[in-house]
Amino acid sequence: PPPPSPPPPPPPVPTPPDFPHNCFPGNSAINGGYRNGTGMRLYKYAVEVMPYAPTDTSFTVMITPNDECTSAISVCCRPETDLTKVEFIINEDCRGAIDSLTSTGPSAPLEPSYARRGWPVQPPADWTGGNPLQAKVTGLSTAGQSMDFTVTLKQNNACNTVEKFLYGGQFWFAAFGQLANDFDGCCGTATV
């Protein structure tokens, strides 16, 4: 009889959900930069979390045009690029902990949503879990202007302070924008 066939190769290890999706320039699994994080230098908008105390029950995110970003260095610096959403890592028990999202405009954020995706930058050394939980703030539109949004936490749960809500008390985030033909195609990532 013929010799037995070798066993089939094991199935490939599944790729974690792309965070941040298929963004330019090089901070996504699709274009080879997964978990490297590009920071904000090559993106039209800069994202900054205003100072907060660990026991605060809210925090504010400022979004401003990034003057260092020019069309010569990135397609994501073109004038028509808009910022539409910010996603950030939260602690495992904090799904549903956002009480409200407010903004001074020019747009009003929609109700938050939650999902599990990969890290926007290299995970912290102590992370041993799978994909972390993230909160998403959508419905944003900068219209080329500065804007902000404030996240206020519910007070009747275990995630009622910024320190308890954000993973490690830090803001691990990806900010997404779009060009006319490329939804979520531009983003910047960082940890602050």
Side-chain angles (χ1 to χ4, degrees):
S5 299
V13 175
T15 302
D18 204 9
F19 188 134
H21 308 298
N22 55 345
C23 297
F24 304 111
N27 55 348
S28 130
I30 291 172
N31 60 24
Y34 181 63
R35 289 190 175 166
N36 292 330
T38 57
M40 301 304 294
R41 189 178 78 78
L42 300 176
Y43 183 52
K44 183 178 174 180
Y45 296 95
V47 176
E48 178 184 8
V49 178
M50 302 311 293
Y52 56 83
T55 56
D56 285 352
T57 59
S58 65
F59 61 96
T60 298
V61 177
M62 295 293 300
I63 301 165
T64 56
N66 179 3
D67 295 335
E68 295 178 18
C69 194
T70 66
S71 296
I73 63 170
S74 173
V75 66
C76 295
C77 298
R78 291 180 180 164
E80 68 270 20
T81 304
D82 194 10
L83 187 140
T84 57
K85 117 178 122 171
V86 176
E87 300 179 355
F88 49 94
I89 306 298
I90 62 176
N91 282 312
E92 289 297 304
D93 298 329
C94 296
R95 181 184 295 268
I98 297 175
D99 188 42
S100 66
L101 294 169
T102 56
S103 175
T104 57
S107 64
L110 301 175
E111 289 296 311
S113 61
Y114 304 87
R116 292 192 178 278
R117 292 196 186 276
W119 285 86
V121 294
Q122 190 63 34
D126 64 346
W127 181 257
T128 58
N131 291 324
L133 183 62
Q134 66 173 257
K136 298 184 202 182
V137 177
T138 61
L140 304 174
S141 178
T142 56
Q145 304 173 43
S146 295
M147 71 170 297
D148 64 66
F149 64 86
T150 297
V151 176
T152 301
L153 303 171
K154 294 178 181 174
Q155 291 307 292
N156 58 351
N157 66 52
C159 302
N160 58 0
T161 67
V162 176
E163 182 177 53
K164 295 175 186 175
F165 179 69
L166 295 176
Y167 181 79
Q170 294 182 296
F171 193 67
W172 304 73
F173 76 94
F176 297 89
Q178 66 187 43
L179 298 169
N181 298 330
D182 196 352
F183 185 71
D184 283 353
C186 293
C187 56
T189 62
T191 305
V192 292

